[in-house]
């Protein structure tokens, strides 16, 4: 018995599994099963390497229909997307998209139709990768602009207080090791530390401050600490 599966990839907070399902149903698809990956990048992770995506390779059979909102749900890398679509078509699986109502079917034998189909697959996959690159460049430009502003980009909030930073620098100057510094900056062990705003430092944090005291101080300044 053939079945229709919806594959959804939800990689950001702006995306929503329920929305992708409702879009497919509104387009007239009757979905038998939903397979979804959450928090997975379509750029760096192949479909076959995702926790749920790789299940499609075992679940889909000849005559089944694989529905995706658009080909970017399969991936945002040209090679990965084209390989995935061609693999499923060889298995007799029909791939359909909700957006633009595209159909990729390996059953067609007409050379002209095959050429048009393959050209469309290549175009859509290339578009998905181009969009990913554009988004990445826009994000990079936004971060650089915010950094230049100085008042908007603060980076990750420091896991240490100004008082702990001072102790790390002072003890490091005296040649004290990371373990001794961790103990000295532990609010539980040292009542002079501010227990409300401070937490125990890790060795990695102490070493990071020691290796780049200027950068650590700048992080505190950016956060007004």
């Amino acid at each position: 018995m053939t079945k229709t599966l919806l594959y959804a990839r939800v990689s950001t907070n702006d995306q929503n599994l329920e929305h992708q399902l409702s879009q497919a149903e509104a387009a007239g698809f009757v979905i038998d099963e939903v397979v979804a990956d959450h928090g997975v990048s379509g750029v760096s992770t192949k479909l076959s390497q995702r926790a749920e995506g790789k299940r499609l390779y075992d679940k889909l059979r000849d005559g089944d229909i694989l529905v995706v909102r658009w080909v970017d749900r399969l991936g945002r890398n040209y090679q990965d997307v084209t390989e995935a679509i061609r693999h499923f078509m060889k298995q007799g699986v029909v791939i359909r998209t909700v957006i633009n109502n595209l159909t990729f079917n390996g059953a067609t034998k007409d050379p002209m139709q095959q050429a048009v189909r393959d050209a469309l697959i290549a175009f859509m996959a290339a578009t998905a990768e181009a969009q990913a690159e554009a988004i990445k460049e826009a994000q990079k430009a936004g971060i650089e602009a915010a950094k230049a502003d100085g008042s908007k980009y603060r980076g990750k909030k420091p896991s240490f207080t100004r008082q702990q930073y001072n102790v790390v620098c002072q003890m490091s100057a005296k040649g004290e090791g990371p373990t001794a510094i961790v103990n000295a900056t532990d609010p539980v062990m040292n009542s002079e530390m501010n227990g409300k705003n401070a937490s125990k430092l890790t060795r990695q944090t102490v070493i990071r401050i020691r290796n780049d005291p200027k950068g650590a101080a700048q992080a505190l300044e950016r956060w007004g600490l």
Side-chain angles (χ1 to χ4, degrees):
M1 180 177 179
T2 61
K3 55 185 178 294
T4 300
L5 276 75
L6 170 70
Y7 175 72
R9 179 175 59 81
V10 183
S11 57
T12 70
N13 292 331
D14 295 331
Q15 298 169 1
N16 185 285
L17 172 59
E18 287 71 25
H19 180 58
Q20 293 184 46
L21 175 58
S22 62
Q23 273 190 320
E25 292 175 336
F29 291 102
V30 178
I31 305 299
D32 298 311
E33 184 178 348
V34 176
V35 177
D37 278 300
H38 296 266
V40 178
S41 168
V43 177
S44 58
T45 310
K46 291 183 177 182
L47 179 67
S48 60
Q49 296 173 337
R50 303 172 201 163
E52 294 300 311
K54 62 185 179 183
R55 293 177 56 217
L56 295 176
Y57 291 80
D58 296 324
K59 296 178 72 68
L60 291 169
R61 297 288 185 270
D62 186 8
D64 289 344
I65 298 174
L66 172 61
V67 178
V68 289
R69 185 179 66 86
W70 200 58
V71 296
D72 66 342
R73 296 304 87 193
L74 297 175
R76 286 187 176 275
N77 177 280
Y78 174 85
Q79 194 67 33
D80 296 344
V81 174
T82 54
E83 285 181 358
I85 292 178
R86 286 168 181 159
H87 172 85
F88 291 129
M89 286 197 305
K90 286 180 180 178
Q91 288 186 315
V93 177
V94 176
I95 299 93
R96 298 191 60 185
T97 69
V98 175
I99 297 177
N100 296 332
N101 191 29
L102 299 175
T103 299
F104 302 117
N105 189 343
T108 179
K109 301 300 180 183
D110 181 84
M112 184 60 69
Q113 291 182 355
Q114 289 178 341
V116 172
R117 178 202 64 199
D118 293 345
L120 184 57
I121 291 172
F123 172 76
M124 300 296 282
T127 301
E129 180 168 339
Q131 286 183 339
E133 289 297 324
I135 292 172
K136 184 167 63 176
E137 288 300 318
Q139 291 173 336
K140 181 180 178 181
I143 290 174
E144 291 300 324
K147 283 183 176 179
D149 185 323
S151 62
K152 296 180 180 179
Y153 185 81
R154 296 190 294 178
K156 183 179 180 180
K157 185 176 182 179
S159 58
F160 50 89
T161 66
R162 172 70 65 174
Q163 189 177 15
Q164 288 174 319
Y165 167 81
N166 292 335
V167 172
V168 172
C169 292
Q170 292 167 4
M171 293 184 68
S172 294
K174 296 178 182 179
E176 297 286 351
T179 300
I181 297 176
V182 167
N183 293 333
T185 56
D186 186 349
V188 176
M189 300 178 64
N190 189 341
S191 59
E192 293 182 1
M193 293 290 161
N194 188 333
K196 293 182 179 180
N197 299 320
S199 57
K200 185 175 180 179
L201 301 185
T202 63
R203 286 175 57 87
Q204 289 76 14
T205 299
V206 170
I207 293 172
R208 189 163 60 248
I209 295 173
R210 289 175 59 176
N211 291 341
D212 186 16
K214 182 179 179 181
Q218 291 175 340
L220 288 169
E221 289 294 335
R222 286 195 297 268
W223 282 87
L225 301 176

